[in-house]
Amino acid sequence: LWDVASRISQQLRVCDWRLRQLSEAYYQQLMAVVKSGRYKDRVCLSDEFTWLGYLAFQSFVTDSCVLREYLSEFRSLTLAPTADSNPAATTFAELKKQYLDKLDSLTDVDKTLKEAATLGGWLHVLSGYRNLVIHWAPIASAGKALYAYCQPLAACRT
């Protein structure tokens, strides 16, 4: 468990960094559009900053799924702590198959994980994006065109 926990700790830091990169790419895109005077409500734009945003998103999705696998391994080790039990699952798919789909009584965490993995659940969507960028195409070229969509949002007031 210690080894897996240390990998989880490292991967949480990696995901934090990837999220920062995504935020920075968005900020750079937004600043470039506003400063150049190209901003118009509900207009699609494409430039090098758009590509950087998609690249940052792709990296975040990939690293988030590495974290998913580490968390799955940790959970499987807590469900089967002895070598006589099922071997530790090292992927979420194995965790689901070996434990989540078979256990009669699930903890709240396990129920939440199982729900998240169903069609339309956040873990299912995340896995779909990961599979897209790993097995088929970079996220930037997976569609017809690469755009950033401009839409103003009302400021939050507290």
Side-chain angles (χ1 to χ4, degrees), residues 26 29-30 33-34 36-47 50 54 146-152:
Y26 172 71
Q29 169 106 52
L30 185 60
V33 169
V34 170
S36 70
R38 295 181 299 143
Y39 178 86
K40 291 182 183 166
D41 190 16
R42 302 189 194 302
V43 169
C44 294
L45 300 168
S46 181
D47 58 22
T50 312
Y54 276 88
L146 179 63
Y147 293 109
Y149 182 71
C150 295
Q151 181 178 354

Side-chain angles (χ1 to χ4, degrees), residues 13 26 50 84-85 89 117-118 127 135 146 152:
R13 292 175 58 211
Y26 172 71
T50 312
D84 298 335
S85 303
T118 60
S127 298
H135 300 294
L146 179 63

